[in-house]
Amino acid sequence: MPVIEVQGLTKTFRTYKKETGFAGALKGLVSRKYETTFAVKDVAFKVEEGELVGFLGPNGAGKTTTLKILSGLLYPTGGSASVLGYTPWKRDDGYRRQFALLLGQKNQLWWDLPARESLELNAKIYGIDRGIFERTVGELTEMLSVKEKLNVMVRELSLGERMKMELIASLLHQPKVLFLDEPTIGLDVVSQKIVREFLRDYNAKRKTTILLTSHYMADIQALCRRVIIIDKGTIFFDGQLDDVIDRFADFKLITIHCDGNKPLPPVELVKFGEVVEQDRQMVKLKVKRDRVIPVCKALLDELPVNDIDIQEVPIEEVIRQIFAR
Ligand SMILES: Nc1ncnc2c1ncn2[C@@H]1O[C@H](COP(=O)(O)OP(=O)(O)OP(=O)(O)O)[C@@H](O)[C@H]1O
Ligand SMILES: [Mg+2]
């Protein structure tokens, strides 16, 4: 049985629409105009135990809303969801003890307490045994290299240190399901990598089911074999990350290196594709997938080619293109 099962999940927000000008303001007093936004629209997916799934989408796509519904923070307008057999918004105590939500954009720790005490408060809320608490904090602070920061006030921690503490706080009760909303946002590349590797190890060791959003493709590539892509509240891709490239990348990159001594002969390069990069001996071309072979042939015919290299467009760019449509 899947750990997470979502069907027809829909969430609308009613927002008050202001009309411009004085007349509009008067009208607003009499009859308020509301606009309905579909933050999430008929979303369905399943996640099996131990999976680490990337949840991708542009700003405002509905990712946070979905995670909040699955955490019981928001009631859906329609549809159903089951996580570990619970309906999240019924807020069963049994459910609360088995999942965690980390919102990278929000501070969930007590700002005015040293990190350790903030974690202790979290442990008290969950009724975690002292010994287990000490052991978990010891192990996790070691893995995330923030052991020596436990006595620092949360407000004085760096962003990366705080995020690591937030992560530890959300793992204290050893949840079976973890919703991570941008856990690496704003972190420097080193901290990002530490958090990323931590999550990979943790998922491998504990078989925790993780649904993760991130705008950093490096996170997604390092962690997720499967991705769910959502746009305007609707899912339009659910499958292997590798297949995203096959499905959506219309181009490949061809790089040729020519004989070092002579400058490139004056060949009309644009007829082959878009010139992405060029210097005296090197040209990088963006070429339609179905044109790659004929273009390679023509390049070999027309230029003194020393070396040729064909690459996929980076996943970052593919995703950017998908979102731009
Ligand atoms: N409380 C709210 N009231 C009104 N509209 C909301 C509310 N929360 C979210 N929305 C709207 O719902 C849509 C989805 O928002 P959501 O925060 O889920 O997007 P997201 O995918 O997490 O985006 P981001 O990548 O920017 O975090 C947006 O259009 C947003 O403006
Ligand atoms: Mg969000």
Side-chain angles (χ1 to χ4, degrees):
M1 221 182 83
V3 167
I4 306 173
E5 192 161 4
V6 174
Q7 232 157 33
L9 202 68
T10 299
K11 175 74 187 175
T12 59
F13 287 109
R14 266 198 349 151
T15 43
Y16 171 51
K17 189 183 163 212
K18 249 199 176 135
E19 289 191 42
T20 50
F22 180 66
L26 276 184
K27 239 168 87 188
L29 288 175
V30 188
S31 64
R32 296 214 143 182
K33 280 223 164 61
Y34 288 95
E35 254 180 3
T36 305
T37 348
F38 279 87
V40 175
K41 201 173 179 178
D42 200 18
V43 158
F45 60 85
K46 287 179 191 166
V47 181
E48 299 293 332
E49 187 180 0
E51 267 194 288
L52 203 173
V53 178
F55 198 28
L56 308 183
N59 291 129
K63 304 180 296 292
T64 302
T65 305
T66 305
L67 296 189
K68 282 184 173 170
I69 294 172
L70 293 179
S71 305
L73 291 181
L74 286 176
Y75 286 88
T77 316
S80 66
S82 152
V83 186
L84 297 162
Y86 295 94
T87 302
W89 48 93
K90 287 191 179 154
R91 302 190 182 169
D92 224 285
D93 199 48
Y95 180 50
R96 188 174 65 89
R97 290 173 177 282
Q98 295 189 67
F99 85 95
L101 167 71
L102 183 147
L103 297 166
Q105 306 257 34
K106 261 206 178 134
N107 184 54
Q108 294 173 99
L109 294 168
W110 279 266
W111 207 243
D112 294 312
L113 291 178
R116 165 178 281 284
E117 283 175 39
S118 198
L119 291 175
E120 272 170 12
L121 271 176
N122 271 288
K124 290 231 168 69
I125 291 171
Y126 285 104
I128 295 162
D129 175 89
R130 186 84 215 173
I132 294 176
F133 171 78
E134 292 296 343
R135 189 151 28 91
T136 314
V137 169
E139 184 193 348
L140 299 182
T141 48
E142 182 79 50
M143 281 172 89
L144 287 162
S145 47
V146 281
K147 204 161 218 154
E148 69 289 1
K149 297 291 173 187
L150 277 168
N151 294 320
V152 178
M153 301 283 265
V154 171
R155 62 159 76 249
E156 286 162 9
L157 293 172
S158 76
L159 183 63
E161 291 158 0
R162 182 178 66 72
M163 201 73 91
K164 290 171 187 172
M165 293 297 183
E166 298 266 1
L167 197 51
I168 293 170
S170 62
L171 295 173
L172 283 177
H173 60 297
Q174 311 192 334
K176 292 202 180 97
V177 175
L178 196 51
F179 301 116
L180 299 172
D181 195 16
E182 307 190 45
T184 56
I185 189 158
L187 305 195
D188 67 84
V189 284
V190 178
S191 301
Q192 264 185 31
K193 192 154 174 270
I194 293 175
V195 169
R196 209 181 280 150
E197 281 168 3
F198 170 81
L199 290 174
R200 199 184 48 210
D201 295 348
Y202 193 88
N203 166 258
K205 209 161 100 187
R206 306 283 178 106
K207 301 282 172 283
T208 310
T209 308
I210 303 178
L211 196 53
L212 162 99
T213 84
S214 175
H215 287 287
Y216 303 114
M217 282 313 296
D219 288 345
I220 304 298
Q221 272 177 295
L223 294 173
C224 313
R225 281 182 43 219
R226 174 179 165 204
V227 293
I228 297 173
I229 306 181
I230 183 171
D231 190 17
K232 299 192 179 74
T234 311
I235 287 176
F236 78 90
F237 180 85
D238 180 351
Q240 304 294 302
L241 182 62
D242 289 341
D243 293 340
V244 173
I245 291 179
D246 289 342
R247 270 272 293 278
F248 298 105
D250 302 330
F251 297 92
K252 285 201 182 201
L253 296 171
I254 303 178
T255 309
I256 52 164
H257 292 271
C258 292
D259 197 319
N261 300 318
K262 285 171 275 176
L264 278 178
V267 175
E268 269 286 339
L269 287 166
V270 286
K271 72 180 178 198
F272 299 119
E274 183 192 331
V275 179
V276 185
E277 229 182 298
Q278 182 176 13
D279 64 21
R280 252 172 65 92
Q281 280 105 39
M282 184 274 293
V283 182
K284 193 180 222 174
L285 291 163
K286 208 166 130 185
V287 178
K288 277 250 180 230
R289 288 178 92 83
D290 56 353
R291 298 267 310 133
V292 168
I293 289 173
V295 165
C296 282
K297 276 187 185 148
L299 286 168
L300 290 168
D301 277 349
E302 294 177 39
L303 293 168
V305 177
N306 266 352
D307 191 16
I308 191 159
D309 178 39
I310 305 166
Q311 279 180 322
E312 293 287 359
V313 174
I315 183 83
E316 247 130 2
E317 196 176 328
V318 179
I319 298 284
R320 211 180 306 123
Q321 280 167 12
I322 296 174
F323 291 175
R325 306 210 269 239

